[in-house]
Amino acid sequence: MVTVQDLFNYAVEFDLSHLAHSIFWALSHKKVRVEEDHEQLKKVNFDEVAIKQLMEDNLLGIGKVKLFVMETQEKDWFAFYLAEHSLDAYRLHEDLFRGPQRKITRADRLMVRFMAFAKTGEEMTVYAYKKEVVAFPAYVGHVRAGERVVYRMEGVG
């Protein structure tokens, strides 16, 4: 049985803001209990206005850290960064590589892709990698266009 707590933990872990805040609302209004089967959530009449406000206030701190992908000087190579804001990723890139700043894109859709980390040979999602990071912004590595291998580069812009 998947409990309400299990589903809530999953939603928080994977930055599923609406789901996590909806469950939080249901729990705080005693519509469900953490140990109940998650199917009980289907019986709850949610207050979408209140949930939207919880999401805007980001009470649970979901989605603060995002994945940014920056073009590099090397053709078809992109630098991956985890940061709250694109400017944080720009600054870190400049500190690490001293190269000119290029186009940067928020790429949260890539957070769920499995990537092979060349240094360790381990395969994981960027979400899983994010759990191992102590401080943000953080350099994840460089990835060649169309590939799923992350390389840690030194001195390449």
Side-chain angles (χ1 to χ4, degrees):
M1 169 178 81
V2 175
T3 66
V4 170
Q5 181 71 59
D6 295 333
L7 188 58
F8 177 74
N9 292 343
Y10 176 84
V12 170
E13 181 178 343
F14 288 98
D15 292 339
L16 302 173
S17 184
H18 188 268
L19 179 60
H21 283 97
S22 296
I23 295 171
F24 178 81
W25 180 88
L27 289 166
S28 63
H29 287 83
K30 300 184 182 351
K31 305 289 184 185
V32 292
R33 295 186 319 271
V34 292
E35 68 276 0
E36 288 184 300
D37 189 302
H38 76 287
E39 293 290 328
Q40 292 299 314
L41 290 165
K42 292 179 180 176
K43 299 175 183 175
V44 173
N45 187 15
F46 290 96
D47 182 344
E48 288 299 327
V49 173
I51 292 166
K52 183 178 179 191
Q53 187 61 51
L54 289 173
M55 290 173 61
E56 285 177 16
D57 295 343
N58 201 7
L59 185 70
L60 301 174
I62 292 176
K64 284 187 172 185
V65 175
K66 303 160 197 72
L67 177 64
F68 293 96
V69 176
M70 184 181 296
E71 292 179 1
T72 67
Q73 293 177 13
E74 301 295 320
K75 185 177 178 359
D76 294 331
W77 282 93
F78 298 87
F80 281 38
Y81 293 93
L82 290 167
E84 286 189 36
H85 305 284
S86 60
L87 287 176
D88 297 330
Y90 268 125
R91 283 187 208 108
L92 181 57
H93 184 81
E94 193 171 78
D95 288 347
L96 293 174
F97 301 106
R98 305 279 186 238
Q101 295 178 354
R102 305 259 183 182
K103 181 181 175 188
I104 191 166
T105 305
R106 185 170 159 189
D108 294 334
R109 71 188 184 290
L110 299 177
M111 294 279 280
V112 295
R113 278 197 181 158
F114 274 88
M115 307 291 275
F117 287 77
K119 188 173 184 176
T120 63
E122 189 175 5
E123 283 195 24
M124 69 175 84
T125 65
V126 179
Y127 272 118
Y129 179 83
K130 182 174 86 168
K131 290 184 207 171
E132 298 176 7
V133 176
V134 179
F136 300 97
Y139 168 65
V140 177
H142 278 66
V143 177
R144 188 177 192 99
E147 296 182 8
R148 293 187 182 193
V149 180
V150 179
Y151 299 91
R152 297 284 294 194
M153 304 286 193
E154 303 299 325
V156 175

